[in-house]
Amino acid sequence: MTREAERLKEMIERSRKQEDNKLPAFISDAFAVEKNNVHGFQVYRLIPERAKGNIFYLYHSDYTRPIRKKEWSFIQWICSMTGMAVTVPIYPLAPEHDCEEVFDMLVPAYQIHCKHREAGELLLMGAGAGAGLAISLMLQIWKEGLADPDKVILISPVMDTEFFDEKLESGLAEKMGKQFLPMKELLNETWVRNYAGRTEFTAPVYEDLHDISQDIIVFSGTGDCHNAYARYFSQKVQDTGNPLKYFEYGGAERDYFLDPNRKETKHMKKLLHDFLLNTDDAIIHQYMEEVRQKAGWSKHFPDIFLDEHAVKYVAAHPKRGNREVYNQNIFNLMSASVQRAYDEAVRLFLKEYPEGNVIYVGCSLDTMLERVDNGRVLWYNLDSPGRMAIRTMYTGLGTREKRIERSVHDPSWMDRLSMQTDRGVLFVIKDIFAYMNRKEMREFLDLLYQHFQGCNVIFDMATPRANFMHNRMGRGRGAEYRKRHLSMRDPRREVEAMSPLYDVVSVRSVVDDIRPRKEWKTSLKLLLMSNRRRESWKIVHIRLGHERYRTFDSLSSRAPMSSRAPMSS
């Protein structure tokens, strides 16, 4: 080994403490503890009263570090919250042991774990390096014919110790800096050793992941140096058709989940509560409030907006209390009218460009494609990984639908678009601009112009008074509340003033063609008339640069596929 790798090895050995792998008193005081010895290594099973399930937990070791008290506290929370027994194998570590010894110990430890299946579900959970070991163990489980876990949960996964992918490796090296090369050499010399090239043990992210599990949940943070691997793994599993759920926290490092006071940790714990207990009580119901709202609009204003998918969901998932009781009021009427206006704008675009590309930016759980589909459009739904994970639970993937799990503010999502730009490109920007300022909106539009010159954009814009009323009425309702900031009295003038490259195609009020019904209350009719007179909420359609699309009449000729290719002027 080089001098730097030797120094790293010596530092690791000095940093260890004898008590690190010992069971803390707060664990043995809280639970009954069953101990087993597998190939000379300890396996602890924490058993709460009336255990109703079993979790096999592989801790966050970085392949070299004993389990820490902070992680024992996290395990204690899991055991107490779920009421499940948690098995924690204290597996071998580098530099003293290699990966062959690790799996010689983990496979029989998992076999012992499987004997408790009669007590409830079997779950496999790992953090950091333990998450990578969990995937390798899954591959061994399949080979050995052992019982598959009912769920697999991976937190900040580390899934490659040989670094075969140069692009992924370069990103890791950039984030780790000078520590990367010594760490790489140390793992190769002490952990990989004779298993070089056997990726099922050393780099499971490159293995065939078909049918690896029917329920995988992955948590990662963009501040984690291994985040690119988590994204790669999640996309690879999803491409096989497995319904993986991927959640990503902006800026969170690999150890974030060990800090109970971090907002990311609190959010993740709520999700773990719902996933482990098969419920939606902690947080998933907050995501689904949007669906319940759309079902409410469909009930009270079916001639304006109808979302059959939302109606079916609410019928199948009746909810307690009055959180989801959405009355026939102006707030819901305007919201339904805005959504209807978007649908109509997209239909108009597809009439002219029937094989066009529509990118729904910030789609959340909206099933717009099902409402406007012409059978030919190529549709991209884009939102944060968390939203898209919940969306996967709510609705399946359409035949011409692609999903992009990226934050709207992460421009890397543009690299995921591959489409025939000369057939028409439309970006649907629902609600996004309302939470920006003018400078941010201009920068976002400029970015679209740089990569997709000639594209169309539709977005909604309210007047200052309408924004104020929306914020006032929205506060305290069931759905997640966010205050709207950006407003425009005259969108045509204000958008064109941003840049001469922005051509405003149309601006229309969302209630122009809404007519009151007899059964509506008088107050609702008057408020509708007021909003129509004031043009309080509008749908704006703009074009960025010069259009070079083929319309309905010119689609007989075919162009080669291009990825992010700007249209020629």
Side-chain angles (χ1 to χ4, degrees):
M1 286 190 290
T2 62
R3 201 169 170 184
E4 289 78 9
E6 286 286 357
R7 285 176 180 170
L8 178 60
K9 180 181 176 182
E10 292 170 4
M11 184 183 71
I12 289 169
E13 291 170 342
R14 285 197 307 269
S15 67
R16 295 200 180 147
K17 299 177 182 177
Q18 279 191 336
E19 66 269 25
D20 275 334
N21 274 332
K22 290 183 179 179
L23 196 68
F26 64 82
I27 294 290
S28 53
D29 290 344
F31 311 106
V33 179
E34 181 182 289
K35 299 179 182 179
N36 285 291
N37 189 288
V38 179
H39 287 204
F41 295 92
Q42 198 72 50
V43 178
Y44 298 106
R45 185 167 185 257
L46 317 183
I47 312 170
E49 289 187 27
R50 296 183 293 277
K52 52 188 177 183
N54 306 276
I55 299 173
F56 193 79
Y57 185 94
L58 299 174
Y59 65 92
H60 179 23
S61 66
D62 279 336
Y63 304 102
T64 63
R65 187 170 56 191
I67 186 170
R68 292 168 287 173
K69 284 188 177 180
K70 285 184 177 181
E71 193 153 8
W72 278 119
S73 296
F74 181 67
I75 294 168
Q76 180 190 30
W77 173 82
I78 292 171
C79 196
S80 300
M81 182 272 292
T82 63
M84 295 182 180
V86 181
T87 298
V88 184
I90 307 301
Y91 55 83
L93 299 172
E96 297 87 354
H97 306 280
D98 60 22
C99 68
E100 180 178 9
E101 296 172 90
V102 172
F103 289 103
D104 282 347
M105 181 263 182
L106 286 181
V107 172
Y110 184 80
Q111 285 178 312
I112 297 171
H113 175 69
C114 291
K115 293 179 181 179
H116 301 288
R117 180 148 212 167
E118 69 278 0
E121 288 187 323
L122 287 181
L123 284 78
L124 178 59
M125 190 170 182
L133 294 177
I135 297 301
S136 292
L137 183 59
M138 279 293 298
L139 298 170
Q140 299 310 303
I141 288 169
W142 181 83
K143 283 188 175 183
E144 297 287 338
L146 301 176
D148 288 336
D150 297 289
K151 291 185 179 70
V152 179
I153 298 164
L154 310 174
I155 303 171
S156 301
V158 179
M159 292 181 283
D160 185 3
T161 56
E162 292 200 67
F163 313 107
F164 289 103
D165 189 298
E166 292 183 0
K167 183 178 179 182
L168 294 175
E169 180 186 359
S170 64
L172 176 61
E174 182 180 346
K175 286 187 175 181
M176 291 191 68
K178 294 180 180 179
Q179 294 180 344
F180 175 70
L181 288 178
M183 181 273 296
K184 178 180 177 180
E185 184 181 358
L186 179 65
L187 287 178
N188 184 64
E189 291 287 334
T190 65
W191 200 84
V192 175
R193 293 184 66 188
N194 299 328
Y195 273 50
R198 298 180 65 179
T199 55
E200 62 187 289
F201 300 101
T202 63
V205 70
Y206 306 116
E207 285 290 303
D208 182 357
L209 301 174
H210 281 81
D211 300 323
I212 188 171
S213 174
Q214 292 303 308
D215 199 351
I216 303 178
I217 301 111
V218 181
F219 297 93
S220 184
T222 58
D224 180 0
C225 54
H226 292 269
N227 175 244
Y229 289 91
R231 287 182 173 185
Y232 176 82
F233 170 81
S234 299
Q235 187 62 49
K236 184 175 179 179
V237 173
Q238 288 172 336
D239 289 344
T240 68
N242 281 2
L244 178 143
K245 305 174 188 70
Y246 177 60
F247 295 86
E248 185 176 273
Y249 298 110
E253 309 84 8
R254 198 170 0 142
D255 292 349
Y256 76 91
F257 68 98
L258 297 179
D259 182 354
N261 297 315
R262 288 191 66 148
K263 63 178 182 179
E264 295 88 356
T265 307
K266 293 176 181 178
H267 187 272
M268 186 194 73
K269 283 184 172 181
K270 289 179 180 179
L271 287 167
L272 284 176
H273 173 280
D274 285 350
F275 289 135
L276 294 174
L277 298 180
N278 298 312
T279 181
D280 67 353
D281 292 338
I283 196 169
I284 291 178
H285 71 275
Q286 294 182 22
Y287 286 96
M288 302 314 296
E289 285 299 298
E290 173 190 344
V291 176
R292 296 181 182 279
Q293 279 189 333
K294 287 184 168 62
W297 305 342
S298 302
K299 174 183 176 181
H300 294 297
F301 308 106
D303 53 328
I304 297 174
F305 176 80
L306 180 61
D307 187 332
E308 294 180 354
H309 206 92
V311 172
K312 289 177 182 176
Y313 175 85
V314 170
H317 300 82
K319 199 74 175 176
R320 63 276 172 198
N322 57 8
R323 165 174 269 182
E324 59 286 338
V325 175
Y326 297 105
N327 297 321
Q328 202 177 73
N329 57 34
I330 191 61
F331 181 94
N332 291 312
L333 174 59
M334 293 301 295
S335 298
S337 299
V338 169
Q339 189 65 69
R340 176 179 184 263
Y342 270 105
D343 290 358
E344 287 300 316
V346 174
R347 288 191 187 101
L348 285 173
F349 174 82
L350 293 179
K351 281 184 179 179
E352 190 169 3
Y353 308 105
E355 294 186 359
N357 308 274
V358 178
I359 302 92
Y360 195 170
V361 181
C363 65
S364 194
L365 306 184
D366 188 17
T367 54
M368 184 189 291
L369 174 58
E370 294 186 11
R371 299 192 299 270
V372 305
D373 192 7
N374 65 351
R376 300 163 72 180
V377 60
L378 176 60
W379 192 279
Y380 289 86
N381 278 319
L382 162 70
D383 213 320
S384 65
R387 288 278 178 193
M388 297 306 279
I390 300 297
R391 184 184 182 90
T392 299
M393 300 168 60
Y394 170 54
T395 178
L397 187 68
T399 54
R400 280 164 288 99
E401 176 192 357
K402 298 185 179 182
R403 292 182 180 174
I404 302 177
E405 298 177 335
R406 289 287 188 277
S407 166
V408 171
H409 305 289
D410 177 0
S412 70
W413 62 262
M414 295 186 183
D415 298 322
R416 303 281 298 278
L417 298 176
S418 179
M419 53 197 183
Q420 292 177 306
T421 52
D422 64 343
R423 293 188 183 183
V425 180
L426 173 66
F427 289 91
V428 179
I429 317 287
K430 185 174 184 292
D431 289 339
I432 302 298
F433 291 150
Y435 306 105
M436 296 182 178
N437 56 40
R438 278 172 170 73
K439 181 176 181 290
E440 292 168 335
M441 178 182 175
R442 164 73 184 273
E443 290 172 349
F444 190 93
L445 291 174
D446 282 348
L447 198 60
L448 292 183
Y449 170 76
Q450 291 167 19
H451 293 100
F452 304 98
Q453 189 178 124
C455 69
N456 290 259
V457 180
I458 59 172
F459 59 92
D460 61 289
M461 189 56 63
T463 62
R465 172 68 179 172
N467 251 7
F468 171 80
M469 294 305 297
H470 187 278
N471 290 334
R472 182 178 177 182
M473 296 185 71
R475 190 182 299 113
R477 294 177 67 87
E480 292 176 278
Y481 169 73
R482 287 192 301 161
K483 186 177 180 180
R484 299 173 66 95
H485 300 287
L486 185 60
S487 61
M488 294 181 181
R489 287 190 172 85
D490 185 351
R492 181 181 294 276
R493 179 178 60 82
E494 295 185 52
V495 169
E496 288 181 343
M498 288 183 178
S499 171
L501 300 170
Y502 302 167
D503 176 26
V504 178
V505 178
S506 66
V507 178
R508 61 185 295 265
S509 169
V510 300
V511 294
D512 264 353
D513 54 353
I514 304 296
R515 295 293 175 263
R517 297 180 64 86
K518 291 181 180 179
E519 63 269 20
W520 290 3
K521 293 179 181 179
T522 302
S523 58
L524 180 59
K525 295 176 182 177
L526 292 173
L527 287 169
L528 172 63
M529 292 171 59
S530 174
N531 277 277
R532 181 183 293 126
R533 184 176 66 255
R534 297 172 184 268
E535 294 188 326
S536 59
W537 215 298
K538 304 179 184 70
I539 286 289
V540 185
H541 178 182
I542 65 176
R543 186 177 298 120
L544 306 182
H546 300 288
E547 184 178 26
R548 290 293 182 271
Y549 300 160
R550 288 178 292 171
T551 61
F552 179 80
D553 297 324
S554 60
L555 281 174
S556 56
S557 60
R558 299 299 185 201
M561 291 292 287
S562 62
S563 177
R564 279 186 36 173
M567 285 158 274
S568 57
S569 58

